[in-house]
Amino acid sequence: DGMRRCYSSFFSWLAAEEIINKNPCAGLARIKYRQQVKKPFTAVELERLRMACSSSRDRALVEFLYSTGCRVSEVVALDVWDVVLESGECRVLGKGNKERIVYLSSVAVMHLQTYLTQRKYAGDALFNSAGGRLSKQGIEAAVRRIGERAGVKNTHPHRFRRTLATNLLDRGMNIQDVAAILGHADLKTTQIYCYIS
């Protein structure tokens, strides 16, 4: 169905630009598919991931992803001065150039401080490597390696975001506040993220 939408959108654009006369995909009906529930990390899996971290950067990254619920692209764009360690606040530029404040847990602040004082490579980026700013692929690879060491299947950065959303709802936070933390404009998007136990 995603492929159908892409083709339909492309041909609609071609028709709107008068490059073609008619959208050949206009008659295609929506393709029904089984939607799988994507589960968050369990408390045990989260602890195993923490224990499998081999460096201060890995531990800071895991704690940061879980406590803020940031998208990978948002983490990549962060600079050191975007985080105020004293208050645990972090200024994030999300989708659609919307700025929001996310909050770090005291544990995340502690591990981030440790990483920042011990890191080998200087620079403006919050998370970096020998090549400079840690890229989206770099963060995904680091998280995947941690998951392999921990024996946790399907470990990727976005799953931390889903875990945070689910845990906040489980603990009684209302869905509007969860949507604000995740930077969602639509509550339907937030509902997709949440797996209520």
Side-chain angles (χ1 to χ4, degrees):
D1 192 55
M3 287 175 69
R4 180 200 59 81
R5 281 199 318 265
C6 289
Y7 282 121
S8 183
S9 177
F10 176 63
F11 284 115
S12 291
W13 175 79
L14 288 174
E17 293 291 315
E18 297 178 353
I19 296 168
I20 60 173
N21 296 328
K22 188 180 159 201
N23 178 356
C25 293
L28 289 177
R30 215 176 124 233
I31 299 164
K32 291 185 180 181
Y33 58 95
R34 197 175 120 237
Q35 209 164 4
Q36 286 184 314
V37 176
K38 294 177 180 175
K39 292 189 178 181
F41 292 118
T42 64
V44 172
E45 287 174 330
L46 207 51
E47 194 55 37
R48 280 166 56 191
L49 290 169
R50 287 174 171 137
M51 290 166 61
C53 292
S54 59
S55 67
S56 61
R57 186 192 73 181
D58 284 355
R59 184 64 192 262
L61 185 59
V62 164
E63 294 297 343
F64 189 88
L65 286 168
Y66 174 62
S67 70
T68 63
C70 283
R71 298 174 180 97
V72 184
S73 57
E74 295 168 346
V75 177
V76 169
L78 285 173
D79 289 322
V80 176
W81 52 80
D82 290 325
V83 180
V84 181
L85 292 171
E86 294 77 31
S87 61
E89 290 183 3
C90 179
R91 188 173 45 84
V92 174
L93 193 64
K95 278 186 179 177
N97 258 2
K98 290 180 188 165
E99 195 175 279
R100 72 181 192 281
I101 301 292
V102 293
Y103 300 93
L104 286 88
S105 66
S106 52
V107 173
V109 168
M110 179 186 77
H111 286 290
L112 197 57
Q113 274 177 323
T114 303
Y115 162 64
L116 291 173
T117 54
Q118 292 178 355
R119 71 182 186 170
K120 301 170 193 167
Y121 314 106
D124 296 339
L126 185 62
F127 292 101
N128 61 16
S129 64
R133 187 177 295 272
L134 199 58
S135 66
K136 181 179 183 284
Q137 292 81 9
I139 291 174
E140 287 168 347
V143 170
R144 192 168 46 250
R145 281 192 301 270
I146 295 165
E148 286 166 4
R149 283 195 302 270
V152 177
K153 289 181 181 176
N154 196 24
T155 304
H156 52 85
H158 213 74
R159 200 167 167 199
F160 286 99
R161 193 168 156 80
R162 186 173 292 112
T163 304
L164 174 68
T166 300
N167 289 351
L168 291 175
L169 284 173
D170 275 348
R171 291 176 182 147
M173 184 179 276
N174 73 46
I175 198 160
Q176 288 86 356
D177 293 336
V178 175
I181 288 168
L182 296 180
H184 288 159
D186 190 0
L187 286 181
K188 287 178 188 169
T189 312
T190 312
Q191 285 172 328
I192 293 165
Y193 272 66
C194 301
Y195 175 86
I196 306 301
S197 61

